[in-house]
């Protein structure tokens, strides 16, 4: 209703209003279906997509987001692409549960849940500190700086995602044991967030917070006969997130130059989060580059495969002028990648596959008692 009032007062293009409210209706229906388990794939997708597109499109269209000017025709094309991404994902996520789930076959294990210990905590803490020092010394995953060694991506994967997975493993096991282990698991995640901040990243801190939320949520799904730890413990991470994002922004500013967007008042910080519109603005650049909406985008995927380019690299070079030697990327936004490759049909197919993957993965985790596996 708030969006509708904004659209009416500003005289927004009718096509944009219609496509936006078709998107809202689809989202409301999906959330109603997922109301008993809001972190099921359907619920998560709707909420994430809304934070990236649905929340800011009415604000941009009506001139309420400072420094962002996108015309109604472009926003209408953006909204239509996002709507098709929703349709594709919902179709993929509606696949029926099956015991012959291929994801379960791949990641399933019949090993029992292992307990953790204080020794494991100190070992992981030591590993986390060493991995962080190595990443900073070699500039692995550091904002705006090229790594100094070959195969940097492989080392970065193990020293960041690998260590993060072990820390989450500790938290998940800790949630089935004593309260002290659950708290220590959160301490490990705080350590990972600090490392990301020292490397100049901000979004990675929210990424780690989301991982913690999911871990706490799944204990309710998987351990219904045990004492649950309240999600209020996540206030520890939430309380620290603002300071860590400030640290990450300060580090980034010192290395890359420019004014710190977060080193202002708390009110401006909150507004920056609410109006952060990178998904919409980047998708708008993609649709403007290709002109009218296309169902296949002239099968550009064939040309990209021939030249060995990803859609992200293509848009970086063609739209933003990023040179091959630059350690920098702007990207296409989520649905912008498949749209670049194969138009609206690419968006439908890719998001159908993503929805199917999430649906099968979710079933493999939550139905472990019936299937005899312990994927989580």
């Amino acid at each position: 209703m708030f969006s509708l009032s904004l659209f009416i007062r500003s005289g927004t293009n009718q096509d944009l209003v219609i496509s936006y409210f078709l998107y809202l209706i689809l989202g409301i229906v999906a959330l109603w279906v997922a109301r008993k388990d809001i972190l099921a794939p359907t619920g998560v997708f709707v909420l994430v997509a809304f934070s990236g597109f649905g929340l800011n499109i009415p604000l941009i269209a009506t001139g309420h987001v400072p420094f962002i000017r996108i015309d109604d025709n472009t926003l209408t094309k953006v909204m239509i692409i996002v709507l098709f991404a929703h349709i594709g994902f919902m179709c993929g996520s509606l696949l029926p549960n099956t015991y012959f789930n291929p994801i379960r076959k791949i990641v399933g294990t019949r090993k029992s849940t292992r307990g953790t210990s204080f020794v494991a905590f100190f070992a992981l803490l030591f590993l986390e500190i060493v991995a962080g020092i190595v990443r900073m010394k070699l500039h692995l995953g550091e904002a705006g700086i090229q790594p100094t060694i070959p195969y940097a991506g492989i080392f970065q994967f193990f020293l960041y995602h690998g260590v993060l997975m072990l820390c989450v493993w500790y938290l998940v096991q800790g949630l089935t044991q004593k309260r002290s282990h659950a708290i220590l698991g959160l301490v490990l995640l705080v350590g990972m967030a600090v490392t990301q901040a020292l490397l100049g990243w901000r979004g990675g801190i929210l990424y780690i917070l989301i991982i913690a939320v999911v871990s706490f949520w799944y204990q309710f799904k998987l351990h219904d006969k045990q004492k649950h730890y309240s999600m209020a413990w996540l206030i520890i991470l939430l309380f620290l997130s603002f300071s860590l994002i400030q640290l990450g922004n300060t580090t980034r500013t010192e290395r890359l130059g420019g004014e710190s967007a977060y080193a202002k008042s708390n009110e401006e910080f909150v507004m920056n989060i609410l109006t952060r519109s990178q998904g919409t603005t980047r998708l708008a650049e993609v649709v403007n580059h290709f002109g009218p909406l296309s169902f296949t985008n002239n099968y550009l995927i064939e040309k990209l495969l021939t030249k060995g380019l990803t859609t992200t690299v293509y848009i970086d070079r063609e739209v933003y002028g990023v040179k091959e030697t630059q350690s920098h990327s702007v990207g296409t936004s989520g649905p912008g990648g498949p749209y670049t490759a194969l138009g609206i049909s690419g968006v439908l197919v890719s998001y159908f596959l993503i929805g199917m993957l999430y649906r099968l993965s979710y079933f493999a985790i939550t139905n472990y008692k019936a299937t005899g596996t312990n994927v989580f």
Side-chain angles (χ1 to χ4, degrees):
M1 296 304 296
F2 174 71
S3 298
L4 179 61
S5 67
L6 286 178
F7 283 142
I8 291 175
R9 287 196 299 172
S10 63
T12 305
N13 182 298
Q14 185 177 3
D15 292 339
L16 175 58
V17 176
I18 293 173
S19 60
Y20 184 80
F21 279 93
L22 285 175
Y23 157 78
L24 280 188
I25 291 169
L26 181 62
I28 290 169
V29 171
L31 286 177
W32 175 258
V33 172
R35 66 191 182 280
K36 294 182 179 179
D37 188 6
I38 204 66
L39 288 188
T42 301
V44 168
F45 183 83
V46 171
L47 295 175
V48 171
F50 183 77
S51 69
F53 297 94
L55 178 64
N56 56 60
I57 283 179
L59 299 176
I60 293 173
T62 55
H64 286 82
V65 180
F67 312 116
I68 297 179
R69 296 290 181 267
I70 304 175
D71 63 81
D72 285 0
N73 289 331
T74 300
L75 283 175
T76 301
K77 290 187 285 186
V78 167
M79 197 68 259
I80 291 172
I81 292 173
V82 172
L83 186 59
F84 274 105
H86 267 66
I87 293 171
F89 186 93
M90 297 308 164
C91 291
S93 64
L94 289 175
L95 288 178
N97 293 329
T98 170
Y99 178 79
F100 298 102
N101 177 349
I103 302 297
R104 187 191 68 80
K105 299 291 185 182
I106 294 170
V107 302
T109 171
R110 296 185 182 276
K111 294 180 180 179
S112 60
T113 303
R114 294 175 127 187
T116 190
S117 65
F118 292 107
V119 174
F121 167 76
F122 286 109
L124 284 175
L125 183 62
F126 176 77
L127 177 63
E128 184 177 272
I129 294 172
V130 171
I133 293 173
V134 171
R135 289 178 63 205
M136 284 185 275
K137 290 291 184 181
L138 300 179
H139 306 297
L140 298 175
E142 188 169 2
I145 299 179
Q146 287 275 15
T148 57
I149 60 172
Y151 303 106
I154 296 174
F155 287 105
Q156 159 70 357
F157 179 81
F158 284 106
L159 293 176
Y160 174 49
H161 289 96
V163 175
L164 179 58
M165 287 168 66
L166 291 174
C167 293
V168 175
W169 167 83
Y170 186 97
L171 174 62
V172 170
Q173 307 308 324
L175 289 172
T176 67
Q177 296 176 249
K178 297 179 181 179
R179 181 177 289 111
S180 57
H181 289 299
I183 296 174
L184 291 176
L186 289 176
V187 169
L188 290 174
L189 291 187
V190 169
M192 293 299 298
V194 170
T195 302
Q196 288 300 93
L198 292 175
L199 288 167
W201 294 108
R202 303 163 302 204
I205 296 166
L206 297 177
Y207 172 60
I208 291 171
L209 177 62
I210 291 170
I211 288 176
V213 170
V214 171
S215 299
F216 270 76
W217 178 267
Y218 273 106
Q219 68 166 327
F220 293 97
K221 298 285 294 180
L222 304 182
H223 307 295
D224 51 357
K225 295 183 179 178
Q226 300 186 28
K227 179 181 178 181
H228 294 134
Y229 293 99
S230 170
M231 294 186 77
W233 284 105
L234 294 174
I235 292 176
I236 297 173
L237 280 180
L238 192 60
F239 180 76
L240 292 172
S241 61
F242 175 74
S243 297
L244 291 176
I245 291 174
Q246 289 275 30
L247 174 62
N249 189 70
T250 301
T251 304
R252 192 184 188 96
T253 301
E254 290 174 353
R255 291 173 186 167
L256 303 180
E259 181 184 1
S260 174
Y262 292 92
K264 299 179 181 179
S265 69
N266 289 352
E267 291 78 9
E268 288 174 312
F269 172 77
V270 172
M271 278 303 297
N272 189 287
I273 295 297
L274 288 176
T275 59
R276 187 173 175 84
S277 311
Q278 287 184 340
T280 300
T281 55
R282 293 176 184 184
L283 183 53
E285 291 292 338
V286 170
V287 297
N288 277 336
H289 177 70
F290 293 109
L293 284 180
S294 170
F295 192 72
T296 63
N297 204 17
N298 295 320
Y299 300 97
L300 181 62
I301 188 171
E302 296 177 354
K303 179 180 177 181
L304 296 179
L305 289 172
T306 301
K307 293 187 175 182
L309 296 176
T310 65
T311 55
T312 297
V313 172
Y314 174 83
I315 293 298
D316 281 344
R317 294 182 185 177
E318 296 294 324
V319 176
Y320 299 102
V322 177
K323 297 179 181 178
E324 187 176 353
T325 56
Q326 284 184 280
S327 179
H328 179 66
S329 176
V330 180
T332 63
S333 83
Y339 181 79
T340 298
L342 202 56
I344 289 176
S345 62
V347 175
L348 276 171
V349 171
S350 61
Y351 276 86
F352 173 84
L353 294 174
I354 293 172
M356 181 177 67
L357 173 64
Y358 271 67
R359 180 72 177 102
L360 296 177
S361 300
Y362 186 74
F363 175 66
I365 292 173
T366 57
N367 203 43
Y368 80 105
K369 292 178 183 177
T371 58
T373 65
N374 185 22
V375 177
F376 196 52

